[in-house]
C-alpha cells in the first residue's frame, strides 16, 4: 500500500477488521520497531550474561508496547487511517496514550544505563552522554508539567483544528513526523507521572495523579467537540473515497467517540500503576526503617520511652 495519502489508498474497499489488521508495513516504523526490540534484547542478554537479573515483566511491557506501535503503523490500519478519520483516531489514541505507557513500564532507559559499558576515564561514551541528557536543563523543561500538559493538549486542538493536520497528511514525511510526534508527546507526558526510569522531574504521588487528571479531560472534550459538530472539521477527511461507502460526518462522529472513550483507558491503567508503585515505595521505606532500627538498637524508640518516663517522674512529684 502507498502510505503517502495518495495512490492506492483512494481505492480501498470498505473497512473490515480483517482488512485493517492485514500486514502492510510502513518502512520507517517497521525498521524502528525491529531496532527497538533488538536493542532491548541486547541489553537484557548483556545483563544476564554477567549474572544480573532483569524483571521479566519489564521485558513483556516493552515488547507489547513496541507491538502496539507496529499494530497501528504496519498494518492496514495505517492505509485506512489516511482516508478514514475514525481509523486514524484509533492510531492516534494507541500511539499517544497506550504505547507510551507500556514502553515506559519497560524501563528502557534504566536498562540502557545498566547495560551500556562505562567509558574510560576522561572520555564520554553512550552511557555518559545518556546521563548528561537525563540531567540536562532540556530534560528538566520537557518533563515539567508546565510543558507536558500544554503540549499534550495542543497536540489535539492545535493540530486538528488548524490547517497543520492537512499539510502534514499531504506527504509521507509529514505523516511519519506527526505519528512520531504523537508517540514522543505521550512519552514525555506519562514519564514523570508513572515512568519507572529516572528523570529530572519526579513529584510526589499525589501530584502525579493531579498531573494525570489535568490532561485527560481535554481528550474527552476534544472527542465531544467532534461528535457534536454539524459538518466535517478536517479537510483531509471531508471527501472520503466512494469505494469506502462511508459518510464523512458519520465517520467524524465515530472518531470523536473513539477519542472520548479511549481517554478513560490510560487513566485507569496509569492510576493502577501509580497505586502499585506507591504501595511498593511505602513497603521499601518501611523495610529501610526496620533495618535502620535493627542497626541502632531501636534508639529512637528507647529515647521516646525515656521521654515518657521522664514525664511520669515529673508528674509524680
Amino acid at each position: 500500500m502507498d502510505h503517502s495519502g495518495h495512490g492506492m489508498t483512494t481505492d480501498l474497499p470498505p473497512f473490515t477488521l480483517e482488512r485493517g489488521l492485514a500486514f502492510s508495513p510502513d518502512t520507517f516504523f517497521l525498521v524502528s520497531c525491529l531496532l527497538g526490540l533488538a536493542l532491548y534484547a541486547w541489553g537484557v542478554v548483556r545483563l544476564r550474561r554477567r549474572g544480573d537479573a532483569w524483571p521479566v515483566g519489564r521485558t513483556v511491557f516493552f515488547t507489547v508496547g513496541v507491538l502496539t506501535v507496529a499494530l497501528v503503523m504496519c498494518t492496514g490500519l495505517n492505509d485506512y487511517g489516511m482516508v478514514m478519520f475514525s481509523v486514524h483516531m484509533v492510531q492516534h489514541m494507541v500511539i499517544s496514550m497506550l504505547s507510551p505507557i507500556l514502553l515506559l513500564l519497560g524501563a528502557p532507559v534504566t536498562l540502557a544505563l545498566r547495560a551500556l559499558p562505562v567509558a574510560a576515564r576522561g572520555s564520554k561514551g553512550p552511557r555518559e552522554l545518556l546521563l548528561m541528557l537525563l540531567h540536562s536543563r532540556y530534560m528538566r523543561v520537557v518533563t515539567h508539567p508546565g510543558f507536558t500538559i500544554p503540549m499534550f493538549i495542543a497536540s489535539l486542538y492545535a493540530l486538528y483544528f488548524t490547517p497543520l493536520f492537512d499539510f502534514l497528511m499531504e506527504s509521507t514525511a509529514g505523516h511519519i513526523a506527526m505519528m512520531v510526534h504523537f508517540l514522543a508527546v505521550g512519552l514525555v507526558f506519562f514519564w514523570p507521572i508513572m515512568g519507572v526510569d529516572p528523570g529530572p522531574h519526579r513529584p510526589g504521588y499525589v501530584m502525579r495523579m493531579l498531573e494525570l487528571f489535568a490532561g485527560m479531560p481535554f481528550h474527552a472534550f476534544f472527542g465531544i467537540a467532534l461528535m457534536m459538530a454539524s459538518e466535517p472539521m478536517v479537510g483531509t477527511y471531508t471527501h472520503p473515497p466512494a469505494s469506502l461507502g462511508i459518510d464523512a460526518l458519520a465517520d467524524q462522529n465515530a472518531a470523536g467517540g473513539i477519542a472520548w472513550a479511549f481517554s478513560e483507558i490510560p487513566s485507569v491503567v496509569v492510576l493502577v500503576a501509580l497505586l502499585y508503585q506507591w504501595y511498593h515505595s511505602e513497603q521499601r521505606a518501611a523495610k529501610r526503617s526496620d533495618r535502620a532500627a535493627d542497626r541502632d538498637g531501636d534508639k529512637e524508640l528507647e529515647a521516646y520511652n525515656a521521654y515518657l518516663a521522664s514525664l511520669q517522674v515529673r508528674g509524680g512529684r
Side-chain angles (χ1 to χ4, degrees):
M1 290 287 183
D2 180 358
H3 293 135
S4 64
H6 308 284
M8 292 181 66
T9 53
T10 61
D11 301 316
L12 288 171
F15 178 83
T16 63
L17 188 59
E18 182 180 2
R19 289 167 180 159
L21 296 180
F23 185 60
S24 180
D26 176 281
T27 303
F28 175 84
F29 279 98
L30 179 62
V31 172
S32 299
C33 288
L34 292 175
L35 182 62
L37 289 174
L39 289 173
Y40 196 93
W42 171 83
V44 173
V45 170
R46 183 175 171 83
L47 289 184
R48 294 283 173 82
R49 283 180 175 173
R50 73 183 189 207
D52 292 341
W54 183 255
V56 175
R58 291 184 180 178
T59 304
V60 172
F61 277 124
F62 186 84
T63 302
V64 175
V66 172
L67 292 178
T68 59
V69 174
L71 175 68
V72 296
M73 297 307 304
C74 295
T75 64
L77 292 175
N78 196 35
D79 301 313
Y80 281 95
M82 306 300 293
V83 289
M84 291 181 65
F85 200 1
S86 57
V87 178
H88 166 82
M89 193 56 64
V90 171
Q91 289 182 280
H92 181 169
M93 292 297 106
V94 170
I95 206 170
S96 69
M97 298 180 72
L98 180 59
S99 302
I101 293 171
L102 295 169
L103 293 172
L104 289 168
L105 289 174
V109 175
T110 300
L111 177 62
L113 290 174
R114 291 183 59 186
L116 289 170
V118 177
R121 182 175 296 181
S123 62
K124 294 178 181 178
R127 185 178 185 277
E128 287 69 29
L129 293 175
L130 179 57
L131 280 171
M132 286 177 60
L133 177 62
L134 287 174
H135 296 294
S136 67
R137 181 179 299 177
Y138 168 78
M139 290 304 297
R140 286 198 296 271
V141 171
V142 300
T143 59
H144 192 277
F147 177 87
T148 60
I149 295 174
M151 179 60 68
F152 193 66
I153 297 168
S155 292
L156 287 172
Y157 296 90
L159 183 66
Y160 290 101
F161 296 160
T162 69
L164 181 58
F165 181 83
D166 295 326
F167 171 75
L168 293 173
M169 289 291 282
E170 289 177 356
S171 66
T172 301
H175 181 243
I176 290 174
M178 178 172 58
M179 302 310 285
V180 170
H181 170 78
F182 289 154
L183 179 61
V185 168
L187 287 170
V188 297
F189 177 76
F190 288 112
W191 181 14
I193 295 175
M194 44 66 64
V196 181
D197 290 318
H201 175 69
R202 189 69 71 185
Y205 286 97
V206 174
M207 283 303 299
R208 295 190 204 183
M209 292 181 186
L210 291 176
E211 286 183 34
L212 171 66
F213 292 119
M216 288 299 111
F218 290 94
H219 265 262
F221 298 153
F222 169 75
I224 293 171
L226 290 179
M227 293 169 68
M228 295 181 64
S230 57
E231 60 183 22
M233 301 177 67
V234 179
T236 299
Y237 301 112
T238 301
H239 303 289
S243 61
L244 293 174
I246 62 172
D247 174 71
L249 186 58
D251 187 50
Q252 178 175 282
N253 290 341
I258 290 166
W260 174 71
F262 207 97
S263 63
E264 301 300 322
I265 299 174
S267 300
V268 174
V269 174
V270 173
L271 194 58
V272 170
L274 267 178
L275 292 173
Y276 178 82
Q277 291 173 4
W278 195 352
Y279 170 77
H280 278 267
S281 175
E282 293 295 321
Q283 292 291 100
R284 288 193 297 270
K287 288 180 181 178
R288 284 196 298 270
S289 178
D290 290 343
R291 286 196 296 268
D294 291 339
R295 285 195 302 270
D296 62 17
D298 223 345
K299 292 179 180 177
E300 186 176 344
L301 180 60
E302 291 178 4
Y304 181 67
N305 287 335
Y307 170 70
L308 292 178
S310 67
L311 291 179
Q312 187 173 7
V313 169
R314 284 199 294 267
R317 289 176 180 174

